[in-house]
Amino acid sequence: MKLHFTTVVVCSLILSFSLLEPATAGSPFCDSKCAERCKQAGVQDRCLKYCGICCEDCKCVPSGTYGNKHECPCYRDKVNKKGKPKCP
């Protein structure tokens, strides 16, 4: 019985990790757009993370490294828990 339970647990962990990886991987479109958007950011890893989240949700990223958020209203209107802009 213990062997059966252990096998089920191991299989479910392997399955969950295999399903999690594609969900967190960015698309080539978002990766390239966010790399351009965040190339001058002071904290680049954080900029890339939030830009990637916003890009996946909105399917767009404003041009340039700052501003131009009027080009993508969804990106512009996303806010964090404190009501501040979520997307860089």
Side-chain angles (χ1 to χ4, degrees):
M1 187 65 168
K2 283 186 177 183
L3 181 60
H4 179 67
F5 179 73
T6 304
T7 304
V8 170
V9 169
V10 170
C11 288
S12 65
L13 284 173
I14 291 170
L15 181 61
S16 66
F17 284 127
S18 67
L19 293 174
L20 183 63
E21 187 177 339
T24 58
S27 69
F29 171 79
C30 289
D31 290 346
S32 64
K33 292 289 190 176
C34 289
E36 181 66 28
R37 181 83 177 166
C38 296
K39 70 182 179 184
Q40 294 179 352
V43 186
Q44 209 166 35
D45 59 335
R46 187 179 300 162
C47 181
L48 289 170
K49 175 185 175 182
Y50 289 108
C51 179
I53 291 169
C54 295
C55 178
E56 290 295 323
D57 288 347
C58 298
K59 310 293 188 244
C60 64
V61 175
S63 62
T65 57
Y66 184 80
N68 301 323
K69 289 188 177 182
H70 65 278
E71 296 174 354
C72 184
C74 170
Y75 191 96
R76 176 193 65 213
D77 296 339
K78 283 200 165 299
V79 292
N80 63 19
K81 294 176 187 174
K82 297 178 180 177
K84 304 232 182 205
K86 182 175 188 169
C87 306

